[in-house]
Amino acid sequence: MDPLVSICCQTYNHKNYISETIDSFLMQKTEFPFEIVIGEDCSTDNTRKICKEYNEKYPDKIKLLLPNKNLGAMNNFITTLQYCTGKYIALCEGDDYWTDPYKLQKQVDFLEGNEEYS
């Protein structure tokens, strides 16, 4: 089933944060499918290794983009965004996280009920 929401996450040298970030995506409770698209931009710390471990554990949920060379912040964002297939896109950087397990559900409920909003 196609995802209704794509979580678009760019990360670079976020080894101290990326696990909490991804966990906050995985804890989302929704009535619809969602995907997690992570653009890992050739980090020089262990961010890439951590992302790969999550991708191996949740291959049906996480799309991991691993460029061969650093794209830079803007190009990494654009590339990651292009891989998102959901009707809605939720943005979260690799050094941030969500605290509400119903964040996506609340936002989709609002948007579906209020088409004049984007």
Side-chain angles (χ1 to χ4, degrees), residues 54-110:
Y54 273 93
N55 183 235
E56 289 170 11
K57 191 170 181 180
Y58 302 97
D60 56 323
K61 188 62 94 174
I62 297 173
K63 286 185 193 173
L64 181 58
L65 309 178
L66 300 169
N68 293 326
K69 63 177 184 142
N70 182 276
L71 302 175
M74 185 54 71
N75 286 332
N76 188 35
F77 172 71
I78 292 167
T79 300
T80 306
L81 193 59
Q82 289 173 335
Y83 277 86
C84 293
T85 61
K87 175 180 179 182
Y88 300 112
I89 298 174
L91 304 175
C92 189
E93 299 290 329
D95 60 351
D96 203 354
Y97 62 94
W98 298 336
T99 58
D100 184 349
Y102 297 97
K103 173 193 173 14
L104 292 180
Q105 187 66 56
K106 290 175 185 177
Q107 290 178 322
V108 166
D109 288 346
F110 179 83

Side-chain angles (χ1 to χ4, degrees), residues 3-4 11 13 28-29 45 50-51 67 78 100 102 109 111:
L4 182 62
T11 188
N13 285 351
Q28 291 299 301
K29 297 178 185 336
D45 60 7
I50 295 166
C51 289
I78 292 167
D100 184 349
Y102 297 97
D109 288 346
L111 290 170

